[in-house]
Amino acid sequence: MGPSRILVVEDNPLNRRLAVDVLRVVGYEVAEAEGAPQARVWLASSLPDLIVLDVSLPGTDGITLLGQLRADLRTRAIPIVATTALAMKTDRERILRAGFDAYLAKPFSPRVLRQVVGDLLQGRANPTGAPHG
Ligand code: MN
């Protein structure tokens, strides 16, 4: 078994680069997509162990893409982490209710991203990236 594979979907090039680097440096195999169409192309031939998905994407947004992935038997069980600049508590509740496994408000620290991803890959829920011993 090789390293876990993660797909990062984020339209902002700097945010995408940061997330990709933070995950790559700890050994994950990371693919990237700048939007929903590119993500769907990649997913047609590959299956990641986890997806980090920006909620605010031009065109098809992250919540719509999430719904499509949850409706597809092939992708429905993949853990999906929402990243968003929306900061209100009501937004967080709406996003988790939509079916994301975790929620990270930008800007988030590398530690929190790695915590959420590591926990989900071990089948452990940690919707907000809280640290634990
Ligand atoms: Mn965005």
Side-chain angles (χ1 to χ4, degrees), residues 12-75:
N12 179 284
L14 178 59
N15 288 344
R16 190 169 67 243
R17 170 64 34 217
L18 287 170
V20 166
D21 287 350
V22 159
L23 296 169
R24 248 178 214 157
V25 78
V26 290
Y28 295 119
E29 189 178 308
V30 187
E32 53 189 293
E34 64 183 41
Q38 294 84 355
R40 281 192 293 255
V41 167
W42 189 85
L43 287 164
S45 60
S46 310
L47 271 183
D49 298 296
L50 181 144
I51 298 173
V52 177
L53 176 54
D54 180 23
V55 170
S56 298
L57 295 168
T60 304
D61 69 15
I63 290 181
T64 304
L65 179 60
L66 173 85
Q68 293 165 350
L69 297 175
R70 292 296 189 233
D72 184 335
L73 281 175
R74 214 175 133 262
T75 53

Side-chain angles (χ1 to χ4, degrees), residues 4 6 22 25-26 28 31 46 64-65 72-73 79 84-85 89-90 93 96 103-104 109 114 121 124 128 132:
S4 295
I6 298 173
V22 159
V25 78
V26 290
Y28 295 119
S46 310
T64 304
L65 179 60
D72 184 335
L73 281 175
T84 176
K89 186 159 180 287
T90 51
E93 284 159 4
L96 292 175
Y103 164 93
L104 294 177
S109 75
R114 288 194 292 251
L121 288 172
R124 191 157 51 175
T128 59
H132 55 72

